[in-house]
Amino acid sequence: MLRPVALVLLLLAPLRALAVETLRIAIEDTGGEVKVSGRGLAFGPDSEDASFVPIPSGQAVIRRRGAKLEVNGAPVVDGSVRFRAGAAASSDAGVPGDEPIKAGGAQVRGDVVVRPYRDGLQLINVIPLEDYLAAVLGSEMPVSFPPEALKAQAVAARTYALHKKLEAYSNAFHLGSSVLHQVYGGVNREDPRTLAAVEATRGQVLTYELAPIEAYFHASCGGRTESGHDALQRDLPYLQPVDCPCGKLPASRWKASMSDAEVKSALKHPAQGLRVSGRTPTRRVLSVTLGDGASMGGVELRRRLGYTRLKSLDFEVERTDRGYVFSGRGYGHGAGFCQWGAKALADDGWDYQEILSHYYPGAELQQLY
């Protein structure tokens, strides 16, 4: 059941001030020069109440000069500079711009901050949470999936983002844009179906003891999800193994062949003799013994052999004349929300609330704003 709640969270402070929840997403690290463009482009300091100066040409070249920045050849007083496009650029309301901005290789909504980072520059997208989610859905889940599956993914992604924001509240950015957090592809990943799913669940989050949960998700679990402890070293009550219909889908099955030379190069151990020596209660590989007798954890094995080749740890391995054949089920770490399972459940008539309750047992769906 969906209940309104007043969460005592730091994230409510910007919500009250701006009437919109925002995130800071690290979208690109570049060299010493980057171009930013947009209709009605303006720039100012990196603060919520900044005043912005219009750039008539709608284009800016930002260069790093030592520890300082230049915008179109003029030095910047502050350590970083923030760009905004659209009608909001002329106001001091603190709401990110309403016109897309092209920055480096990305096109995004909201504002773009450029700051010195290591030996080059870093681009940070300051974006309303709901706009961010529409692009995340188009990057993380096929937009052809049923509406109820997309809604469930929207709630999971919103919850995950808010949890990460709380963890990194005082940092320069809250999340990255790659698979290490949530894949975020900017404006080009939006779709009418993702926009509809985000709007239908606006402000809804999953909580446990009145805090946003760690809403991990993955593509396919292969028939049973993994515990948070075994998948991610996160022993959480709402990340427990549950049965899942994705195991019956062809998309959950995979095979990968690797030669002895490939395995030896990746593992830096003799390849011959690799065998599974331990499994979790859901039958995922916990550890392997290598050809020289050394032991390696399943998570490390998958990292070294490659996530796209060894798609999950739910696999059997067979020795061949020249190497190994890995036959597996699922794609991803297996904890929490299963995207292909959500599709199957939605096809069977489940609504998004039922889907979320299944994959995050004990978590509550609540209205944050």
Side-chain angles (χ1 to χ4, degrees):
M1 178 183 295
L2 187 63
R3 297 194 292 114
V5 65
L7 299 180
V8 184
L9 299 173
L10 290 173
L11 59 90
L12 289 179
L15 193 154
R16 287 195 301 269
L18 304 179
V20 63
E21 184 67 39
T22 61
L23 293 171
R24 295 175 66 95
I25 312 298
I27 54 173
E28 189 176 337
D29 295 343
T30 73
E33 177 179 312
V34 68
K35 295 180 180 179
V36 175
S37 61
R39 188 165 58 183
L41 189 68
F43 74 103
D46 181 19
S47 66
E48 301 303 329
D49 57 353
S51 296
F52 288 81
V53 178
I55 301 176
S57 67
Q59 298 183 354
V61 177
I62 303 92
R63 294 187 177 89
R64 180 166 178 171
R65 300 298 188 194
K68 298 290 186 178
L69 301 180
E70 291 181 353
V71 175
N72 289 342
V76 174
V77 175
D78 296 300
S80 58
V81 60
R82 185 160 170 167
F83 293 89
R84 178 172 292 176
S90 61
S91 74
D92 60 356
V95 178
D98 54 9
E99 187 78 20
I101 290 182
K102 182 172 176 56
Q107 186 174 27
V108 296
R109 300 193 186 279
D111 297 350
V112 171
V113 174
V114 182
R115 71 173 187 131
Y117 183 68
R118 296 177 179 170
D119 295 328
L121 301 169
Q122 184 176 58
L123 308 183
I124 298 171
N125 185 196
V126 184
I127 183 171
L129 172 57
E130 305 299 318
D131 290 343
Y132 165 76
L133 291 173
V136 165
L137 257 65
S139 304
E140 286 281 6
M141 177 178 272
V143 297
S144 60
F145 274 19
E148 294 304 308
L150 288 169
K151 291 177 190 176
Q153 178 69 75
V155 174
R158 182 184 294 109
T159 304
Y160 181 89
L162 288 175
H163 178 83
K164 287 298 182 183
K165 178 174 181 176
L166 286 171
E167 281 190 332
Y169 198 79
S170 60
N171 295 350
F173 60 89
H174 305 130
L175 297 99
S177 58
S178 73
V179 293
L180 295 177
H181 287 138
Q182 298 186 125
V183 179
Y184 168 59
V187 173
N188 294 332
R189 303 305 299 178
E190 294 177 357
D191 183 271
R193 289 163 288 192
T194 66
L195 291 165
V198 170
E199 183 59 32
T201 63
R202 177 175 289 271
Q204 294 178 19
V205 296
L206 291 160
T207 67
Y208 187 81
E209 296 182 346
L210 298 185
I213 70 169
E214 297 181 38
Y216 291 101
F217 55 88
H218 58 278
S220 170
C221 68
R224 187 163 176 81
T225 64
E226 182 61 286
S227 72
H229 176 269
D230 287 327
L232 304 160
Q233 290 73 58
R234 305 296 298 151
D235 191 8
L236 298 166
Y238 48 81
L239 293 180
Q240 300 300 327
V242 298
D243 290 333
C244 177
C246 81
K248 301 176 182 178
L249 302 176
S252 72
R253 303 284 173 164
W254 55 269
K255 279 192 175 184
S257 298
M258 298 186 71
S259 68
D260 282 340
E262 289 177 299
V263 174
K264 181 178 180 180
S265 175
L267 303 185
K268 296 179 173 54
H269 282 271
Q272 295 84 352
L274 185 154
R275 61 180 178 84
V276 175
S277 54
R279 292 186 181 273
T280 72
T282 65
R283 300 291 299 163
R284 288 172 172 84
V285 173
L286 182 63
S287 61
V288 296
T289 299
L290 306 178
D292 61 354
S295 180
M296 179 175 290
V299 172
E300 180 64 13
L301 175 77
R302 184 170 176 236
R303 185 187 71 81
R304 292 198 188 187
L305 294 184
Y307 296 117
T308 58
R309 299 189 73 176
L310 212 60
K311 293 185 177 181
S312 77
L313 290 176
D314 187 358
F315 66 80
E316 307 291 339
V317 58
E318 180 183 355
R319 177 72 180 160
T320 67
D321 291 340
R322 297 184 178 181
Y324 295 91
V325 175
F326 299 86
S327 302
R329 295 157 294 277
Y331 194 169
H333 51 65
F337 178 79
C338 174
Q339 293 171 330
W340 278 93
K343 177 190 184 302
L345 292 173
D347 284 338
D348 283 344
W350 289 38
D351 65 30
Y352 75 98
Q353 297 177 338
E354 293 171 319
I355 293 170
L356 291 169
S357 293
H358 180 70
Y359 289 114
Y360 302 111
E364 292 188 83
L365 182 62
Q366 303 200 31
Q367 193 78 44
L368 179 60
Y369 52 86

